[in-house]
Every structure is written in structure tokens, then in C-alpha cells.
Amino acid sequence: EAQVTQNPRYLITVTGKKLTVTCSQNMNHEYMSWYRQDPGLGLRQIYYSMNVEVTDKGDVPEGYKVSRKEKRNFPLILESPSPNQTSLYFCASSLSSEVYYNEQFFGPGTRLTVL
Amino acid sequence: AQTVTQSQPEMSVQEAETVTLSCTYDTSESDYYLFWYKQPPSRQMILVIRQEAYKQQNATENRFSVNFQKAAKSFSLKISDSQLGDAAMYFCAYYVYNQGGKLIFGQGTELSVKP
């Protein structure tokens, strides 16, 4: 089954404790991105990757890191999480960045709470 | 900067009735794409419908249709014959060319369907 998977689905952590949210897709997609969803703000892009080894900042990159060493994986790293990073996180992928043409597939979401 | 606004945080519709969700956007671009996504309680993001700005004809997908008013920068979603399974958060989104495949999302409208 073609899908985007994220782990963990739920995470409660404390301020300053480094964490990684994994994202993997099995569709051989070139393009991957991360969004965060907050009430009243919709979804906002954190980082994106056009292809392996090429990543760039989205609209809200502060406090986050990413890496794209393999085509299928795009982990989101929070080096020192803070309470304002409590949010619902989505990973997404598509064949290319032309998401108007190539549908963007979203993962199931990761609910992160930072105490 | 491009923005997307959904002015109705919550909407309610009776089963089998029709409901329209509003969305306005701001852009100086002439060519772009617009989307409606559905997010049920499972949190999965599901593409409902998309519209190319250069097309005059409004997009339709079964019970879902849009009213695209380019001059007014309006992109509303009409759901006909509402079903209980339509209950979800609905997001309007705008695709930005040459900005890393980013989708700009509105704040969302929570739709409830009454039996």
C-alpha cells in the first residue's frame, strides 16, 4: 500500500530533551516536506526537500532541523524542544514540488506535547 | 505575501442538505492552484478537490463542487446531499509557484453534520 508513515504518532516530552520524528514514504517520491498544524493557524510549512541531500526552510523553521540522506526518509529533529513546539506535525510527499500536478500525500500526523 | 482566509471557524448542516464553506485568498499572481482538504477525526489529510486558476469552469467531484471567483479571490466549497461522513475540518489551500512546493493553508472550518 502506498503511504507516508510517521513515528511516533503521539509523544509527550520535556523541554530540552532532543527528539526525532521519523517520516518514510514508499512511493519513490522526490519531494517531501514537514508542516505543523496549530488551532486557528492551519498548517504551516517547516522544511521541505526537493530531492536527496537538498533541503530548504519553509515558513516556520526555527527550532527544527531535517536531513534527507535517503529518498524515502525525511526525519524532523527538535534539538531542544520548547513548549511553543507543542503541535500536530504532518509529513507529506509527492513526485515533485509541482504539487498542483502531482498530488501531495500526507502522513497520519504526530501529536507532540512539550512540557 | 499570499494569504488564505477561512472566516467560518465552525459550520453545521443537516444530513442530506447543502452547505457552503467560504475561502478567500490574497495574491498578486495570475496563475496558481487552489485546493480543499478534508481532515476527519482520524487527522488524515484528504484532498477533496482542486482548481486551476486559469480554468473558468468550476471543478466538481461527485457531491463536492467549488465556486471559483477569480476577480473576487474567492474559492468556496459546496457540499451537496451532506452525509455523516462529511463531518470534518476542512482546509482551503493555495499553491505557490517557485516556493518549494509550499501549500498555504487557511485556518480551517469545522463542519458538523446533524442526523
Side-chain angles (χ1 to χ4, degrees):
Chain A
E1 180 189 356
Q3 60 183 349
V4 178
T5 57
Q6 294 179 227
N7 283 293
R9 296 287 309 279
Y10 299 89
L11 179 61
I12 300 175
T13 189
V14 296
T15 298
K17 186 176 181 181
K18 181 179 179 179
L19 65 92
T20 299
V21 183
T22 64
C23 172
S24 183
Q25 49 89 8
N26 62 1
M27 296 168 279
N28 203 36
H29 285 171
E30 292 286 343
Y31 180 83
M32 298 184 74
S33 67
W34 277 100
Y35 288 86
R36 61 177 287 174
Q37 179 181 345
D38 301 290
L41 296 177
L43 285 79
R44 295 174 291 167
Q45 191 183 57
I46 303 171
Y47 268 95
Y48 66 92
S49 170
M50 302 291 269
N51 49 51
V52 174
E53 300 294 359
V54 178
T55 64
D56 207 347
K57 298 176 180 177
D59 287 332
V60 287
E62 295 77 20
Y64 305 95
K65 288 175 60 177
V66 292
S67 69
R68 187 91 182 273
K69 294 185 172 62
E70 307 166 278
K71 182 183 276 191
R72 64 182 293 126
N73 297 322
F74 190 46
L76 180 69
I77 303 157
L78 285 73
E79 293 271 1
S80 183
S82 63
N84 64 12
Q85 293 178 296
T86 292
S87 187
L88 176 60
Y89 291 86
F90 286 97
C91 180
S93 75
S94 66
L95 277 172
S96 75
S97 64
E98 297 173 329
V99 297
Y100 59 90
Y101 185 71
N102 302 299
E103 182 177 345
Q104 190 155 202
F105 292 84
F106 285 82
T110 295
R111 172 73 69 185
L112 173 65
T113 301
V114 183
L115 302 175
Chain B
Q2 296 94 346
T3 58
V4 178
T5 302
Q6 294 177 250
S7 58
Q8 306 154 315
E10 298 175 348
M11 291 282 285
S12 180
V13 63
Q14 203 72 33
E15 195 175 7
E17 297 293 311
T18 296
V19 64
T20 298
L21 308 184
S22 300
C23 173
T24 59
Y25 58 94
D26 186 25
T27 183
S28 58
E29 303 290 333
S30 59
D31 203 6
Y32 48 88
Y33 290 76
L34 297 162
F35 303 82
W36 278 98
Y37 280 87
K38 172 184 178 182
Q39 186 181 56
S42 66
R43 303 189 319 217
Q44 186 69 42
M45 293 290 286
I46 302 166
L47 178 63
V48 175
I49 200 166
R50 64 181 160 195
Q51 173 80 39
E52 294 90 341
Y54 64 85
K55 286 188 177 179
Q56 297 283 350
Q57 188 173 4
N58 289 324
T60 62
E61 288 287 343
N62 301 312
R63 298 182 295 106
F64 298 86
S65 62
V66 299
N67 183 6
F68 174 48
Q69 302 288 328
K70 191 172 184 178
K73 297 180 181 175
S74 171
F75 183 60
S76 60
L77 175 70
K78 185 172 81 171
I79 306 174
S80 304
D81 185 25
S82 296
Q83 301 174 359
L84 295 178
D86 294 333
M89 179 74 84
Y90 287 83
F91 290 99
C92 178
Y94 167 95
Y95 171 74
V96 187
Y97 278 112
N98 298 321
Q99 290 194 31
K102 178 171 61 179
L103 288 171
I104 296 177
F105 286 85
Q107 300 89 337
T109 296
E110 182 79 49
L111 177 68
S112 60
V113 181
K114 298 178 180 177

